[in-house]
């Protein structure tokens, strides 16, 4: 499982000087971490301000809450990347992408996960040759229409089954519509950081671990960035700004979409927050619950990391517009 | 310019993150950020990340192939941030600073249907949770609370006008979705912000009706207590 054939070019590609086989960087980082931890007793009282404490609590909370879901996602992505045979994958996903899109939308029902799990899964599906539109539909549907999310919505809105139904339909319509639009007008998705195929005789376990590690490191940094922004919005933007626009129909829908995007809640929890926004109409709450799982600041950050900034610039607005229209349509029809 | 994250540093990143998750889940620290059912998923993740790091050390014994897939986004550096914040700031559970800004917990009012709440359990004073008080105060002018001494726990927070509250947060998934439950207190001098207290108090009739404004209580006794392990409900 070692790779002696590649050893010759290692010194030219590895940044930093080599110390005993490892680049210098890791020692520097290790020393900095050690110094910070040792000086903790001295630092903690100096970083004591209520606003900073609130920000850091929410920041750590979002990261800690998301990491298990991200790990679940990269494990599933690893299974798809290394264990699912081409044949089995072809049997699961219809060959015609036009048909594959709604199938992927409904397949989302079966994967109870948070939205951070679905980015590596979608990326892994694309690497294995699944049409981008189909993988993107799955990316949008999986966090929004699974049973855990629907049950939590039912709990947050007791005796309001029509809200659960409207949420399910609006999210499904969003995922399928974005899939079909992408198929018709865009088609290709750049896959950055394409994994090198493991051609030097690694075992299946080694390949699996390699895939998990690769996907985790790629996604986690962007997850952290999104969590930092969301925590800052939660802590520093006065809630009155959000509440003051609740009265106007258009402002309410628009502000709910923006609110869902910036606060980046877990899709299993957003129904409870939506229910607590009592000043807003049911349609505006529905917009919040449909936009949130499909697109938010941490997802946008992760997607621009996974698929590139140019992709995110087109995909993020498209998803938000389709989600808002779909939620408003369902709200007008059902609520 | 930020340096690229070398493969060895990536391994360190995985190990540190895994260790921090285990450290959080081993004690009660994780309860400051997420719900209690997250403990086992966090332990599993911590173990997995450390296994990934160890597997890589083992692999590296035979190869110094650091250029292999070292080209990860520089954003990967940010993964050190949560671990450092956890150790350096040691973020506390949400407190009085956030109570003024958080969403109020929703009291499920069903206007059409008649609700008959069961009477309070026996006992004097009777211990109640804050959401129970909010709920009972919202119906029938708080008829089921009338003439009873209530024992409540929570921490102290204040609003802009200077009213102080017995306060608790409720969370569903993590602290980002916290909603606040507040009961306005009068009758005694307010303790400092964030101090946990146990109070014996009576409900002021009519306050908190309909679940719009917080209910009010008049305090008879107050004692400071240690913050509970899990400060959210």
């Amino acid at each position: 499982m070692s790779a002696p054939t590649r050893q010759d070019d290692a010194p030219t590609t590895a940044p930093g000087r080599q110390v005993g086989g490892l680049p210098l960087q890791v020692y520097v980082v290790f020393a900095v971490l050690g110094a910070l931890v040792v000086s903790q007793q001295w630092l903690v009282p100096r970083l004591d301000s209520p606003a900073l404490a609130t920000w850091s609590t929410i920041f750590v909370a979002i990261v800690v809450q998301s990491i298990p879901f991200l790990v679940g996602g990269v494990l599933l992505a690893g299974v798809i990347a290394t264990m699912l045979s081409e044949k089995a994958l072809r049997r699961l996903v219809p060959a015609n992408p036009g048909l594959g899109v709604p199938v992927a939308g409904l397949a989302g029902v079966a994967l109870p996960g948070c939205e951070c799990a679905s980015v590596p899964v979608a990326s892994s599906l694309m690497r294995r040759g699944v049409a981008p539109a189909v993988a993107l539909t799955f990316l949008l549907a999986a966090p929004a229409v699974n049973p855990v999310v629907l049950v939590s919505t039912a709990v947050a809105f007791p005796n309001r089954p029509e809200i659960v139904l409207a949420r399910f339909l609006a999210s499904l319509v969003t995922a399928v519509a974005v899939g079909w639009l992408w198929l018709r007008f865009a088609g290709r998705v750049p896959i950055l950081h394409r994994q090198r195929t493991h051609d030097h005789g690694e075992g299946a376990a080694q390949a699996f671990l390699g895939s998990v590690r690769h996907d985790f490191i790629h996604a986690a940094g962007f997850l952290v960035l999104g969590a930092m922004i969301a925590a800052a919005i939660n802590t520093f933007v006065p809630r009155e700004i959000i509440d003051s626009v609740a009265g106007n129909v258009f402002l309410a829908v628009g502000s709910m979409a923006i609110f869902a995007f910036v606060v980046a809640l877990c899709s299993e929890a957003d129904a409870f927050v939506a229910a607590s926004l009592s000043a807003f109409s049911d349609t505006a709450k529905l917009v919040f619950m449909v936009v949130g799982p499909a697109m938010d600041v941490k997802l946008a950050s992760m997607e621009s990391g996974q698929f590139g900034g140019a992709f995110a610039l087109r995909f993020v607005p498209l998803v938000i517009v389709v989600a808002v229209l779909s939620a408003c349509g369902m709200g007008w029809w059902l609520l | 310019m930020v340096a690229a994250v070398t493969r060895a540093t990536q391994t360190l990143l995985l190990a540190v993150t895994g260790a921090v998750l285990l450290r959080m889940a081993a004690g009660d620290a994780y309860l400051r950020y997420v719900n209690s059912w997250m403990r086992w998923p966090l332990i599993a993740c911590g173990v997995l990340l450390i296994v990934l790091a160890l597997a890589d050390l083992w692999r590296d014994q035979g190869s110094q192939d650091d250029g292999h897939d070292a080209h990860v986004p520089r954003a990967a550096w940010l993964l050190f941030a949560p671990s450092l914040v956890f150790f350096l700031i040691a973020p506390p559970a949400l407190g009085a600073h956030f109570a003024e800004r958080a969403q109020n917990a929703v009291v499920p009012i069903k206007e059409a249907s008649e609700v008959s709440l069961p009477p309070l359990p026996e006992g004097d004073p009777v211990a109640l949770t804050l959401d129970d008080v909010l709920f009972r105060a919202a119906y029938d002018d708080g008829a089921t609370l009338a003439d009873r001494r209530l024992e409540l726990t929570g921490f102290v927070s204040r609003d802009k006008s200077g009213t102080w509250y017995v306060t608790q947060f409720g969370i569903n998934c993590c602290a980002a979705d916290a909603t606040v439950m507040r009961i306005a207190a009068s009758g005694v001098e307010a303790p400092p912000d964030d101090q946990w207290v146990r109070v014996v108090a009576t409900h002021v009739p009519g306050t908190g009706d309909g679940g719009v404004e917080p209910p009010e209580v008049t305090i008879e006794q107050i004692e400071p207590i240690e913050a509970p392990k899990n400060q959210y409900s």
Side-chain angles (χ1 to χ4, degrees), chain A residues 25 40 44 54 57 235 237 272, chain B residues 4 6 9 87-88 92 97 101:
Chain A
Q25 187 189 68
Q40 186 213 13
V44 169
T54 301
T57 302
T235 314
V237 175
F272 296 96
Chain B
T6 65
T9 310
F87 268 111
L88 298 182
H97 174 260
R101 344 173 18 97

Side-chain angles (χ1 to χ4, degrees), chain A residues 8-19:
Chain A
D8 50 358
D9 62 20
T12 52
T13 50
R17 268 174 298 154
Q18 305 274 321
V19 181

